[in-house]
Amino acid sequence: MNEIPENELKLKPKNDGELGFGTIFTDHMFQMRWSAETGEWNSAQIKKYEPFLISPAAIVLHYGIEIFEGLKAYHTENGDIQLFRPQKNIERLNNSAERMVMPKVDPEFILGAIKKLVRLEKEWVPHTFGTSLYIRPTMIGIDEFIGVHPAEDVLFYIILSPVGAYYATGFAPVDILVESEYIRAAPGGTGAAKTGGNYAASLLAAEEAKKKGYTQVLWLDAKERKYVEEVGTMNMMFVMDDEVVTSPLTGSILPGVTRDSVIQILKDWDIKVSERMITINEVIEAAKSGKLKEAFGTGTAAVITPVGCLNYKDNDYIIGGNKDKVGELTQKLYDYLTSIQYGKKEDPYGWIVKID
Ligand code: COI
Protein backbone atom coordinates (compact mmCIF):
# COMPACT_ATOMS: atom_id res chain seq x y z
CA MET A 1 0.00 0.00 0.00
CA ASN A 2 1.25 3.51 -0.83
CA GLU A 3 1.59 5.51 2.36
CA ILE A 4 -0.10 8.89 2.17
CA PRO A 5 1.95 11.63 3.86
CA GLU A 6 0.20 12.93 6.99
CA ASN A 7 -0.23 16.43 5.54
CA GLU A 8 -2.07 15.03 2.51
CA LEU A 9 -4.73 13.23 4.55
CA LYS A 10 -8.15 14.81 4.27
CA LEU A 11 -9.97 16.50 7.11
CA LYS A 12 -12.69 14.26 8.47
CA PRO A 13 -16.20 15.66 8.93
CA LYS A 14 -16.52 17.13 12.44
CA ASN A 15 -20.24 16.81 12.86
CA ASP A 16 -22.03 13.54 12.04
CA GLY A 17 -25.30 15.47 12.07
CA GLU A 18 -24.25 17.38 8.96
CA LEU A 19 -23.41 14.32 6.88
CA GLY A 20 -25.43 14.18 3.71
CA PHE A 21 -25.14 11.30 1.29
CA GLY A 22 -22.30 10.52 -1.08
CA THR A 23 -20.38 13.79 -1.15
CA ILE A 24 -17.36 13.03 1.04
CA PHE A 25 -14.79 10.33 0.24
CA THR A 26 -12.08 8.82 2.40
CA ASP A 27 -8.31 8.86 1.87
CA HIS A 28 -7.89 5.42 0.33
CA MET A 29 -9.48 3.17 -2.27
CA PHE A 30 -9.06 -0.41 -3.39
CA GLN A 31 -8.50 -1.22 -7.03
CA MET A 32 -7.59 -4.09 -9.33
CA ARG A 33 -7.51 -4.76 -13.08
CA TRP A 34 -8.74 -7.58 -15.28
CA SER A 35 -7.87 -8.36 -18.85
CA ALA A 36 -9.53 -10.80 -21.22
CA GLU A 37 -6.05 -11.79 -22.38
CA THR A 38 -5.21 -13.52 -19.11
CA GLY A 39 -8.78 -13.91 -17.88
CA GLU A 40 -7.51 -12.99 -14.42
CA TRP A 41 -7.65 -10.15 -11.97
CA ASN A 42 -4.30 -8.54 -11.23
CA SER A 43 -2.56 -5.57 -9.58
CA ALA A 44 -4.88 -5.58 -6.55
CA GLN A 45 -3.91 -2.74 -4.25
CA ILE A 46 -5.12 -0.25 -1.70
CA LYS A 47 -3.99 3.19 -2.74
CA LYS A 48 -4.70 6.86 -2.29
CA TYR A 49 -8.22 7.90 -3.30
CA GLU A 50 -7.60 10.04 -6.34
CA PRO A 51 -8.85 10.56 -9.88
CA PHE A 52 -7.65 8.01 -12.40
CA LEU A 53 -6.93 8.39 -16.08
CA ILE A 54 -9.02 6.53 -18.61
CA SER A 55 -9.20 7.02 -22.34
CA PRO A 56 -11.93 9.32 -23.69
CA ALA A 57 -12.81 6.30 -25.83
CA ALA A 58 -13.24 4.01 -22.77
CA ILE A 59 -16.32 1.87 -23.36
CA VAL A 60 -17.83 2.73 -19.96
CA LEU A 61 -18.18 6.33 -21.13
CA HIS A 62 -19.95 5.43 -24.35
CA TYR A 63 -21.97 2.32 -23.65
CA GLY A 64 -22.38 2.35 -19.89
CA ILE A 65 -20.53 -0.93 -19.44
CA GLU A 66 -20.41 -0.80 -15.66
CA ILE A 67 -21.89 -2.30 -12.53
CA PHE A 68 -21.76 -1.32 -8.90
CA GLU A 69 -22.87 -2.20 -5.38
CA GLY A 70 -23.76 -0.40 -2.18
CA LEU A 71 -23.32 -1.64 1.37
CA LYS A 72 -22.51 -0.06 4.70
CA ALA A 73 -20.15 -0.32 7.68
CA TYR A 74 -21.68 0.61 11.03
CA HIS A 75 -20.13 1.73 14.31
CA THR A 76 -21.58 -0.09 17.30
CA GLU A 77 -21.96 1.41 20.77
CA ASN A 78 -19.07 -0.66 22.10
CA GLY A 79 -16.74 0.63 19.41
CA ASP A 80 -16.85 -2.28 16.96
CA ILE A 81 -17.25 -1.76 13.26
CA GLN A 82 -19.45 -4.18 11.36
CA LEU A 83 -20.85 -4.91 7.91
CA PHE A 84 -24.39 -6.03 7.10
CA ARG A 85 -24.70 -9.04 4.78
CA PRO A 86 -21.72 -8.14 2.57
CA GLN A 87 -21.81 -11.60 0.97
CA LYS A 88 -25.25 -10.80 -0.49
CA ASN A 89 -23.91 -7.67 -2.16
CA ILE A 90 -20.94 -9.53 -3.60
CA GLU A 91 -23.26 -12.27 -4.87
CA ARG A 92 -25.42 -9.62 -6.55
CA LEU A 93 -22.31 -7.97 -7.99
CA ASN A 94 -21.44 -11.25 -9.67
CA ASN A 95 -25.00 -11.62 -10.98
CA SER A 96 -24.81 -8.10 -12.40
CA ALA A 97 -21.42 -8.99 -13.94
CA GLU A 98 -22.97 -11.96 -15.70
CA ARG A 99 -25.78 -9.81 -17.12
CA MET A 100 -23.36 -7.14 -18.36
CA VAL A 101 -20.83 -9.66 -19.70
CA MET A 102 -18.20 -8.56 -17.22
CA PRO A 103 -15.77 -10.71 -15.21
CA LYS A 104 -16.82 -12.13 -11.86
CA VAL A 105 -14.87 -11.51 -8.68
CA ASP A 106 -13.80 -14.01 -6.04
CA PRO A 107 -16.31 -13.38 -3.20
CA GLU A 108 -13.85 -14.27 -0.41
CA PHE A 109 -11.16 -12.06 -1.88
CA ILE A 110 -13.50 -9.08 -2.27
CA LEU A 111 -14.88 -9.49 1.23
CA GLY A 112 -11.27 -9.48 2.44
CA ALA A 113 -10.55 -6.33 0.40
CA ILE A 114 -13.62 -4.56 1.83
CA LYS A 115 -12.61 -5.51 5.37
CA LYS A 116 -9.03 -4.37 4.87
CA LEU A 117 -10.08 -1.05 3.36
CA VAL A 118 -12.67 -0.34 6.06
CA ARG A 119 -10.17 -1.32 8.77
CA LEU A 120 -7.64 1.12 7.31
CA GLU A 121 -10.30 3.87 7.17
CA LYS A 122 -11.87 3.09 10.55
CA GLU A 123 -11.48 6.68 11.69
CA TRP A 124 -13.88 7.64 8.92
CA VAL A 125 -16.76 5.48 10.17
CA PRO A 126 -19.14 7.96 11.81
CA HIS A 127 -20.37 7.16 15.33
CA THR A 128 -23.87 8.55 15.46
CA PHE A 129 -26.89 6.28 15.05
CA GLY A 130 -28.28 6.70 11.53
CA THR A 131 -24.88 7.41 10.02
CA SER A 132 -22.50 4.88 8.46
CA LEU A 133 -19.64 4.39 6.05
CA TYR A 134 -21.12 3.69 2.63
CA ILE A 135 -19.08 1.23 0.58
CA ARG A 136 -19.29 1.49 -3.18
CA PRO A 137 -17.66 -1.37 -5.16
CA THR A 138 -17.65 -0.45 -8.86
CA MET A 139 -16.59 -2.24 -12.05
CA ILE A 140 -16.06 -0.38 -15.32
CA GLY A 141 -15.02 -1.39 -18.83
CA ILE A 142 -12.06 0.76 -19.88
CA ASP A 143 -11.16 -0.66 -23.30
CA GLU A 144 -10.11 2.15 -25.62
CA PHE A 145 -12.38 1.20 -28.49
CA ILE A 146 -15.38 2.82 -30.12
CA GLY A 147 -17.28 -0.36 -30.76
CA VAL A 148 -19.97 -2.19 -28.82
CA HIS A 149 -18.45 -5.32 -27.36
CA PRO A 150 -17.95 -6.94 -23.97
CA ALA A 151 -15.26 -5.35 -21.82
CA GLU A 152 -11.81 -6.83 -22.27
CA ASP A 153 -10.02 -4.38 -20.02
CA VAL A 154 -11.76 -3.88 -16.69
CA LEU A 155 -11.12 -1.76 -13.65
CA PHE A 156 -12.69 -2.70 -10.33
CA TYR A 157 -12.47 -0.33 -7.40
CA ILE A 158 -14.01 0.29 -4.00
CA ILE A 159 -14.50 3.74 -2.57
CA LEU A 160 -15.88 4.74 0.83
CA SER A 161 -18.09 7.63 1.87
CA PRO A 162 -19.28 8.60 5.37
CA VAL A 163 -23.02 9.16 5.04
CA GLY A 164 -26.15 10.20 6.86
CA ALA A 165 -29.69 9.62 5.59
CA TYR A 166 -30.18 9.22 1.83
CA TYR A 167 -33.28 11.38 1.75
CA ALA A 168 -32.75 14.90 3.08
CA THR A 169 -35.83 14.48 5.27
CA GLY A 170 -34.19 11.61 7.23
CA PHE A 171 -36.49 8.91 8.65
CA ALA A 172 -39.74 10.64 7.71
CA PRO A 173 -42.47 9.80 5.21
CA VAL A 174 -41.78 10.67 1.59
CA ASP A 175 -44.33 11.43 -1.12
CA ILE A 176 -44.07 9.29 -4.24
CA LEU A 177 -45.47 9.82 -7.71
CA VAL A 178 -46.67 6.72 -9.54
CA GLU A 179 -45.09 6.96 -12.99
CA SER A 180 -47.48 5.97 -15.71
CA GLU A 181 -45.63 7.25 -18.77
CA TYR A 182 -41.94 6.39 -18.52
CA ILE A 183 -40.59 2.98 -17.53
CA ARG A 184 -37.50 1.85 -15.63
CA ALA A 185 -36.88 -1.64 -16.97
CA ALA A 186 -38.54 -3.96 -19.47
CA PRO A 187 -38.89 -7.75 -19.28
CA GLY A 188 -35.64 -9.25 -20.46
CA GLY A 189 -33.81 -5.97 -19.80
CA THR A 190 -31.26 -5.07 -17.14
CA GLY A 191 -33.63 -4.19 -14.30
CA ALA A 192 -32.30 -6.87 -11.97
CA ALA A 193 -28.69 -5.80 -12.50
CA LYS A 194 -27.15 -2.96 -10.56
CA THR A 195 -25.89 -1.04 -13.55
CA GLY A 196 -25.68 2.69 -14.13
CA GLY A 197 -27.99 2.73 -17.15
CA ASN A 198 -30.98 1.84 -15.00
CA TYR A 199 -30.37 4.91 -12.88
CA ALA A 200 -29.62 7.21 -15.83
CA ALA A 201 -32.87 6.12 -17.46
CA SER A 202 -34.82 7.07 -14.33
CA LEU A 203 -33.71 10.69 -14.20
CA LEU A 204 -36.22 12.39 -16.46
CA ALA A 205 -39.20 10.92 -14.64
CA ALA A 206 -37.61 11.68 -11.25
CA GLU A 207 -36.93 15.30 -12.22
CA GLU A 208 -40.50 15.79 -13.44
CA ALA A 209 -41.80 14.25 -10.22
CA LYS A 210 -39.56 16.53 -8.12
CA LYS A 211 -40.92 19.60 -9.89
CA LYS A 212 -44.37 18.50 -8.79
CA GLY A 213 -43.16 18.11 -5.18
CA TYR A 214 -42.60 14.34 -5.02
CA THR A 215 -39.39 12.73 -3.74
CA GLN A 216 -39.26 9.79 -6.14
CA VAL A 217 -41.30 7.83 -8.64
CA LEU A 218 -42.86 4.40 -8.26
CA TRP A 219 -42.31 2.44 -11.46
CA LEU A 220 -44.98 0.30 -13.06
CA ASP A 221 -44.30 -2.66 -15.32
CA ALA A 222 -43.14 -1.80 -18.83
CA LYS A 223 -45.66 -3.89 -20.70
CA GLU A 224 -49.02 -2.88 -19.26
CA ARG A 225 -48.26 -0.01 -16.83
CA LYS A 226 -50.41 -2.01 -14.46
CA TYR A 227 -48.22 -3.81 -11.92
CA VAL A 228 -46.15 -2.11 -9.26
CA GLU A 229 -42.39 -2.67 -9.62
CA GLU A 230 -40.02 -0.59 -7.46
CA VAL A 231 -38.86 2.92 -6.64
CA GLY A 232 -35.40 2.93 -8.35
CA THR A 233 -33.71 3.76 -5.03
CA MET A 234 -35.69 1.19 -3.04
CA ASN A 235 -38.03 -1.81 -3.22
CA MET A 236 -41.62 -1.24 -2.08
CA MET A 237 -43.76 -2.96 0.56
CA PHE A 238 -47.48 -2.37 1.16
CA VAL A 239 -49.17 -3.23 4.44
CA MET A 240 -52.68 -4.31 3.40
CA ASP A 241 -54.60 -5.08 6.60
CA ASP A 242 -52.57 -7.97 8.01
CA GLU A 243 -50.66 -8.87 4.85
CA VAL A 244 -47.43 -7.25 3.68
CA VAL A 245 -47.21 -7.33 -0.12
CA THR A 246 -44.12 -6.77 -2.23
CA SER A 247 -43.52 -7.31 -5.92
CA PRO A 248 -41.87 -10.61 -6.85
CA LEU A 249 -38.42 -10.62 -8.44
CA THR A 250 -39.66 -10.79 -12.01
CA GLY A 251 -36.32 -9.91 -13.58
CA SER A 252 -37.04 -6.20 -13.96
CA ILE A 253 -36.70 -5.47 -10.23
CA LEU A 254 -33.49 -5.14 -8.25
CA PRO A 255 -33.21 -7.98 -5.70
CA GLY A 256 -32.66 -5.76 -2.67
CA VAL A 257 -30.64 -7.02 0.29
CA THR A 258 -32.82 -4.98 2.67
CA ARG A 259 -35.92 -6.32 0.90
CA ASP A 260 -34.74 -9.88 1.49
CA SER A 261 -33.91 -9.11 5.14
CA VAL A 262 -37.31 -7.52 5.82
CA ILE A 263 -39.10 -10.52 4.28
CA GLN A 264 -37.18 -12.86 6.59
CA ILE A 265 -37.88 -10.74 9.65
CA LEU A 266 -41.61 -10.51 8.85
CA LYS A 267 -41.82 -14.28 8.41
CA ASP A 268 -40.15 -14.74 11.80
CA TRP A 269 -42.66 -12.36 13.33
CA ASP A 270 -45.45 -14.52 11.88
CA ILE A 271 -46.65 -11.65 9.74
CA LYS A 272 -48.00 -12.76 6.40
CA VAL A 273 -45.68 -11.52 3.68
CA SER A 274 -46.52 -12.15 0.04
CA GLU A 275 -44.20 -11.72 -2.91
CA ARG A 276 -46.89 -11.35 -5.51
CA MET A 277 -47.84 -9.24 -8.49
CA ILE A 278 -49.77 -6.26 -7.24
CA THR A 279 -51.59 -3.86 -9.51
CA ILE A 280 -51.54 -0.14 -8.94
CA ASN A 281 -55.34 -0.28 -8.93
CA GLU A 282 -55.27 -2.67 -5.98
CA VAL A 283 -52.95 -0.28 -4.11
CA ILE A 284 -55.08 2.78 -4.89
CA GLU A 285 -58.35 1.02 -4.02
CA ALA A 286 -56.78 -0.12 -0.75
CA ALA A 287 -55.62 3.43 -0.03
CA LYS A 288 -59.15 4.71 -0.67
CA SER A 289 -60.85 2.08 1.47
CA GLY A 290 -58.35 2.32 4.34
CA LYS A 291 -57.10 -1.22 3.79
CA LEU A 292 -53.66 0.15 2.92
CA LYS A 293 -52.41 0.80 6.42
CA GLU A 294 -48.76 1.55 5.62
CA ALA A 295 -46.31 1.63 2.74
CA PHE A 296 -42.54 1.77 2.92
CA GLY A 297 -39.45 1.35 0.80
CA THR A 298 -36.39 -0.75 1.58
CA GLY A 299 -32.82 -0.25 0.41
CA THR A 300 -29.25 -0.01 1.67
CA ALA A 301 -29.18 3.75 1.21
CA ALA A 302 -32.88 4.25 1.98
CA VAL A 303 -32.84 1.73 4.91
CA ILE A 304 -36.59 1.66 5.59
CA THR A 305 -38.32 4.76 4.31
CA PRO A 306 -41.98 5.36 5.11
CA VAL A 307 -44.19 6.50 2.25
CA GLY A 308 -46.88 9.00 3.28
CA CYS A 309 -48.60 9.70 0.00
CA LEU A 310 -48.89 8.20 -3.47
CA ASN A 311 -49.87 10.34 -6.40
CA TYR A 312 -51.51 8.46 -9.26
CA LYS A 313 -52.89 10.20 -12.34
CA ASP A 314 -52.88 13.59 -10.60
CA ASN A 315 -54.64 12.45 -7.44
CA ASP A 316 -52.94 12.23 -4.05
CA TYR A 317 -53.75 9.19 -1.92
CA ILE A 318 -52.80 9.52 1.72
CA ILE A 319 -51.58 6.32 3.32
CA GLY A 320 -52.81 5.29 6.75
CA GLY A 321 -54.88 8.44 7.17
CA ASN A 322 -51.94 10.74 7.97
CA LYS A 323 -49.20 11.41 5.45
CA ASP A 324 -46.72 12.65 8.06
CA LYS A 325 -47.06 9.76 10.48
CA VAL A 326 -44.73 6.76 10.43
CA GLY A 327 -46.75 3.53 10.50
CA GLU A 328 -46.43 1.16 13.45
CA LEU A 329 -44.99 -1.78 11.50
CA THR A 330 -42.68 0.47 9.49
CA GLN A 331 -41.30 1.90 12.75
CA LYS A 332 -40.96 -1.54 14.32
CA LEU A 333 -39.08 -2.89 11.30
CA TYR A 334 -36.82 0.17 11.16
CA ASP A 335 -36.01 -0.15 14.86
CA TYR A 336 -35.32 -3.87 14.66
CA LEU A 337 -33.26 -3.82 11.47
CA THR A 338 -31.15 -0.87 12.56
CA SER A 339 -30.67 -2.38 16.03
CA ILE A 340 -29.05 -5.39 14.34
CA GLN A 341 -27.01 -3.21 11.99
CA TYR A 342 -25.76 -0.99 14.83
CA GLY A 343 -25.16 -3.92 17.18
CA LYS A 344 -27.78 -2.87 19.72
CA LYS A 345 -29.46 -6.27 19.45
CA GLU A 346 -28.20 -9.79 18.99
CA ASP A 347 -28.12 -10.82 15.31
CA PRO A 348 -30.04 -14.10 15.17
CA TYR A 349 -29.48 -14.48 11.42
CA GLY A 350 -25.70 -14.44 11.05
CA TRP A 351 -26.01 -11.31 8.90
CA ILE A 352 -23.32 -9.31 10.68
CA VAL A 353 -19.67 -9.52 9.64
CA LYS A 354 -17.32 -7.83 12.07
CA ILE A 355 -14.29 -5.85 11.00
CA ASP A 356 -11.71 -7.20 13.43
C1 COI B 1 -28.14 1.69 -2.41
O1 COI B 1 -29.21 1.64 -1.80
O2 COI B 1 -27.08 1.34 -1.91
C2 COI B 1 -28.09 2.18 -3.78
O3 COI B 1 -27.18 1.87 -4.50
C3 COI B 1 -29.14 3.11 -4.27
C4 COI B 1 -28.56 4.39 -4.71
C5 COI B 1 -29.66 5.24 -5.22
C6 COI B 1 -27.79 5.12 -3.65
Side-chain angles (χ1 to χ4, degrees):
M1 188 187 61
N2 308 334
E3 286 291 331
I4 305 177
E6 193 76 22
N7 63 348
E8 286 180 28
L9 291 175
K10 298 175 188 169
L11 285 178
K12 298 185 180 64
K14 284 209 168 64
N15 184 355
D16 285 359
E18 284 172 11
L19 284 173
F21 195 95
T23 56
I24 300 164
F25 297 93
T26 70
D27 292 302
H28 296 86
M29 63 193 282
F30 169 86
Q31 79 172 41
M32 63 182 185
R33 273 300 265 277
W34 181 90
S35 80
E37 214 172 288
T38 62
E40 282 178 13
W41 289 102
N42 60 71
S43 317
Q45 58 176 311
I46 287 178
K47 58 186 284 286
K48 183 176 177 181
Y49 173 100
E50 60 188 351
F52 45 70
L53 280 177
I54 55 172
S55 160
I59 56 172
V60 61
L61 302 176
H62 300 266
Y63 311 116
I65 299 175
E66 75 95 41
I67 56 175
F68 67 96
E69 266 306 322
L71 62 157
K72 285 173 171 171
Y74 307 84
H75 232 136
T76 69
E77 275 166 2
N78 61 13
D80 290 344
I81 295 171
Q82 55 190 34
L83 307 171
F84 182 72
R85 307 189 78 183
Q87 299 93 337
K88 283 293 264 187
N89 291 90
I90 300 171
E91 184 187 316
R92 190 172 61 184
L93 180 78
N94 276 338
N95 292 339
S96 300
E98 195 164 320
R99 182 63 181 82
M100 301 301 286
V101 200
M102 299 188 88
K104 292 193 178 177
V105 296
D106 175 348
E108 277 307 306
F109 182 75
I110 292 306
L111 180 56
I114 292 173
K115 282 181 167 177
K116 205 166 164 185
L117 185 61
V118 172
R119 198 176 297 128
L120 176 69
E121 302 287 59
K122 61 179 191 299
E123 303 298 329
W124 283 90
V125 186
H127 284 77
T128 312
F129 178 76
T131 65
S132 56
L133 188 68
Y134 189 77
I135 304 165
R136 171 53 62 91
T138 309
M139 194 189 291
I140 60 176
I142 57 171
D143 312 34
E144 187 176 37
F145 177 42
I146 305 264
V148 182
H149 69 112
E152 293 180 0
D153 191 359
V154 176
L155 179 66
F156 174 83
Y157 58 91
I158 305 171
I159 52 176
L160 306 176
S161 173
V163 297
Y166 183 71
Y167 296 116
T169 41
F171 181 64
V174 292
D175 296 345
I176 302 277
L177 186 136
V178 180
E179 178 55 59
S180 32
E181 185 187 351
Y182 305 111
I183 56 136
R184 173 183 174 272
T190 57
K194 208 156 172 65
T195 184
N198 292 336
Y199 296 81
S202 75
L203 289 178
L204 182 57
E207 283 306 295
E208 289 181 10
K210 262 180 215 153
K211 276 191 202 135
K212 293 181 185 163
Y214 299 90
T215 307
Q216 275 291 336
V217 298
L218 172 59
W219 299 104
L220 301 180
D221 77 284
K223 224 163 148 185
E224 300 182 76
R225 310 285 198 281
K226 185 172 164 191
Y227 297 99
V228 167
E229 296 232 308
E230 59 154 276
V231 175
T233 49
M234 54 193 194
N235 297 110
M236 275 302 298
M237 306 235 169
F238 301 95
V239 185
M240 310 277 236
D241 284 336
D242 51 7
E243 178 194 20
V244 180
V245 184
T246 191
S247 310
L249 301 176
T250 52
S252 50
I253 292 176
L254 192 80
V257 176
T258 313
R259 173 189 181 279
D260 182 80
S261 310
V262 164
I263 290 173
Q264 285 206 40
I265 292 169
L266 288 170
K267 283 183 180 161
D268 287 352
W269 287 353
D270 282 330
I271 292 175
K272 184 176 176 201
V273 49
S274 311
E275 293 177 70
R276 65 168 173 86
M277 303 292 276
I278 179 164
T279 64
I280 188 61
N281 281 343
E282 182 181 346
V283 173
I284 297 303
E285 285 311 311
K288 281 193 206 160
S289 70
K291 184 178 173 178
L292 179 61
K293 303 284 185 241
E294 303 176 37
F296 59 90
T298 61
T300 298
V303 195
I304 287 179
T305 297
V307 174
C309 166
L310 283 176
N311 180 287
Y312 183 51
K313 297 197 191 286
D314 293 330
N315 288 310
D316 275 345
Y317 298 93
I318 307 299
I319 297 163
N322 180 349
K323 83 195 254 305
D324 300 316
K325 190 168 176 277
V326 178
E328 206 177 305
L329 184 63
T330 309
Q331 182 74 56
K332 195 173 160 196
L333 279 164
Y334 176 85
D335 291 344
Y336 186 65
L337 182 73
T338 54
S339 70
I340 293 177
Q341 291 170 333
Y342 288 87
K344 288 168 187 261
K345 268 208 172 80
E346 191 71 21
D347 163 25
Y349 298 101
W351 287 341
I352 293 300
V353 172
K354 292 226 183 271
I355 303 287
D356 30 51

